[in-house]
């Protein structure tokens, strides 16, 4: 393994349906690198040649349902940051980000919506940040029995905030609020730039962007 990359020679034709051989690839990897592989790595990403077939349909990448550490990429998508961060998001346990009645990929404020080309500097929406326990010391949950007064800062400014004075995430029931400032590591967020976004996290784990408010 060199810089996290390991090259495999597959004893089958990748033009066959990937559903037939994807488990074989993983078994080969475990055989070659050791049965304790899962204990030594957090994520495994298979980069497949351009002729890799997935039930005869067009595809770019996918993560296995129920899996939290394996994903598969077609040809040049292996080098597409947006695609990688989307599938790695599934490794984290994230589901797709959409809008009510608009489809499950159409929240493109972050990586769990439709991927794009290039090397976009983005992050994830508020519901997904909360799920991953990010910014744990700069967030607040407000219930019917509680109240909160303070300043909502952009998550991109986390290191410049003060605990007890600022939060970068708010939770109210199943709704999550964050300031989607387009700067720094979120400079390429693709919609609702510099607005306070509100997403609803469904029981399935899917999130839906329901509102975007001017920050002024």
């Amino acid at each position: 393994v060199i810089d996290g990359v390991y090259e495999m020679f597959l004893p089958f034709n990748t033009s066959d349906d990937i559903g037939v051989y994807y488990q074989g690839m993983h078994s080969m990897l475990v055989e070659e690198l050791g049965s304790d592989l899962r204990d030594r790595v957090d994520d495994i990403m298979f980069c497949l040649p351009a002729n890799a077939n997935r039930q005869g349909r067009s595809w770019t990448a996918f993560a296995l349902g129920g899996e939290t550490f394996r994903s598969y990429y077609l040809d040049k998508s292996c080098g597409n940051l947006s695609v990688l961060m989307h599938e790695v998001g599934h490794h984290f346990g994230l589901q797709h980000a959409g809008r009510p009645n608009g489809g499950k990929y159409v929240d493109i404020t972050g990586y769990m919506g439709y991927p794009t080309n290039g090397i976009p500097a983005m992050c994830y929406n508020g519901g997904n940040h909360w799920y991953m326990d990010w910014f744990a010391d700069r967030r607040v949950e407000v219930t019917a029995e509680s109240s909160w007064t303070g300043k909502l800062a952009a998550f991109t400014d986390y290191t410049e905030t003060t605990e007890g004075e600022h939060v970068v995430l708010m939770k109210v029931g199943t709704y999550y609020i964050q300031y989607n400032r387009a700067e720094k590591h979120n400079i390429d967020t693709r919609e609702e730039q510099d607005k306070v976004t509100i997403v609803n996290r469904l029981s399935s784990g899917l999130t839906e962007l329901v509102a975007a408010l001017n920050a002024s």
Side-chain angles (χ1 to χ4, degrees), residues 24 45 48 56 62 79 82 93 110 112 125 134 162 169 180 200 203 206:
M45 295 175 279
L48 296 166
F62 69 94
S82 181
M112 296 314 293
N125 66 30
W134 290 8
T162 302
L169 276 176
N180 187 45
N200 182 23
S203 59
L206 294 170

Side-chain angles (χ1 to χ4, degrees), residues 68-185:
T68 58
F69 69 101
R70 273 193 280 169
S71 51
Y72 301 81
Y73 304 83
L74 180 65
D75 197 34
K76 294 182 180 179
S77 67
C78 296
N80 184 316
L81 178 65
S82 181
V83 174
L84 291 170
M85 292 302 293
H86 180 100
E87 301 304 334
V88 168
H90 288 312
H91 292 191
F92 294 154
L94 306 183
Q95 302 301 316
H96 294 134
R99 290 174 181 259
N101 305 315
K104 64 179 182 178
Y105 293 95
V106 295
D107 171 8
I108 54 175
T109 60
Y111 286 120
M112 296 314 293
Y114 283 112
T116 186
N117 294 320
I119 308 176
M122 301 192 301
C123 212
Y124 299 100
N125 66 30
N128 288 329
H129 281 157
W130 190 288
Y131 175 82
M132 294 187 289
D133 207 28
W134 290 8
F135 317 117
D137 60 347
R138 297 289 193 279
R139 69 185 194 183
V140 62
E141 181 172 3
V142 180
T143 68
E145 293 77 33
S146 67
S147 62
W148 175 80
T149 301
K151 299 176 182 178
L152 176 66
F155 66 87
T156 51
D157 292 330
Y158 169 80
T159 58
E160 302 166 33
T161 60
T162 302
E163 186 174 2
E165 181 180 355
H166 303 92
V167 299
V168 300
L169 276 176
M170 296 182 65
K171 180 179 186 291
V172 183
T174 61
Y175 293 89
Y176 300 82
I177 303 165
Q178 75 177 14
Y179 180 18
N180 187 45
R181 176 172 284 174
E183 65 167 8
K184 302 175 184 174
H185 50 282

Side-chain angles (χ1 to χ4, degrees), residues 1 27 35 47 64 106 162 170 177 211:
V1 179
S27 296
S35 60
C47 293
L64 294 177
V106 295
T162 302
M170 296 182 65
I177 303 165

